[in-house]
Amino acid sequence: MGVTYKYFGAPDGATAARVPISMRPEELGGDELGMGGMFTKIKPETMAAMVLTGIEGVPLHKVPPLELVVLHPDYAVVKLPMTVVDPLRGIGEEAVGAAAFIWSTVPDRGGPRDAFNVYQLLHEWQDFSHRLYEAGHQPYCLVWP
């Protein structure tokens, strides 16, 4: 088993806190929790570090912490800083490719990742960041075992 992460957008923390109860995409600005949602095994801390170090050049020890919105025995909801999604909206292919290469060299528990897989992931995050921006929402992550 493992932990599953579902990234979504919400207008505020109160709405995000209701996510596990409602899980209604129309309340959360689109399909972030629908069929096109972003289910992944990648932790929000890792995603934040990937964007901020690989694209923004922020030293790993300066990556801001996540904000806990809800801690429940069955799940948690965390808020990611906008600095994790905002930089993705304005970068092009070269920057995405460079960030993917940089991040692919960082070992994690399973060893280094393939740069192309990281590249595809960053493109998914780019799309997510555009949807958040257009809806005027903040990024959140639902975490459950």
Side-chain angles (χ1 to χ4, degrees):
M1 290 286 180
V3 176
T4 301
Y5 304 96
K6 179 94 183 214
Y7 294 92
F8 66 96
D12 53 48
T15 304
R18 291 193 308 268
V19 168
I21 298 164
S22 74
M23 292 295 273
R24 283 197 205 119
E26 65 272 9
E27 290 180 15
L28 300 162
D31 68 350
E32 281 80 18
L33 283 173
M35 295 305 288
M38 291 185 50
F39 278 106
T40 182
K41 294 286 185 187
I42 298 177
K43 294 186 208 178
E45 306 86 59
T46 303
M47 205 55 234
M50 188 183 304
V51 170
L52 293 174
T53 60
I55 294 171
E56 293 290 287
V58 174
L60 203 50
H61 68 280
K62 295 216 176 196
V63 172
L66 305 175
E67 180 184 324
L68 183 64
V69 177
V70 173
L71 181 58
H72 184 275
D74 299 326
Y75 62 87
V77 175
V78 295
K79 179 181 178 186
L80 285 79
M82 283 305 289
T83 52
V84 173
V85 291
D86 282 346
L88 290 166
R89 285 197 325 274
I91 63 170
E93 285 299 307
E94 280 185 28
V96 172
F101 175 75
I102 291 166
W103 197 258
S104 73
T105 64
V106 176
D108 59 20
R109 285 184 206 166
R113 293 183 167 267
D114 179 80
F116 185 70
N117 291 341
V118 177
Y119 174 81
Q120 289 178 310
L121 175 70
L122 286 173
H123 268 292
E124 287 178 33
W125 270 82
Q126 255 189 326
D127 293 343
F128 181 59
S129 69
H130 284 290
R131 290 196 315 263
L132 286 176
Y133 180 76
E134 288 163 9
H137 287 179
Q138 303 287 313
Y140 292 90
C141 183
L142 174 62
V143 181
W144 74 96

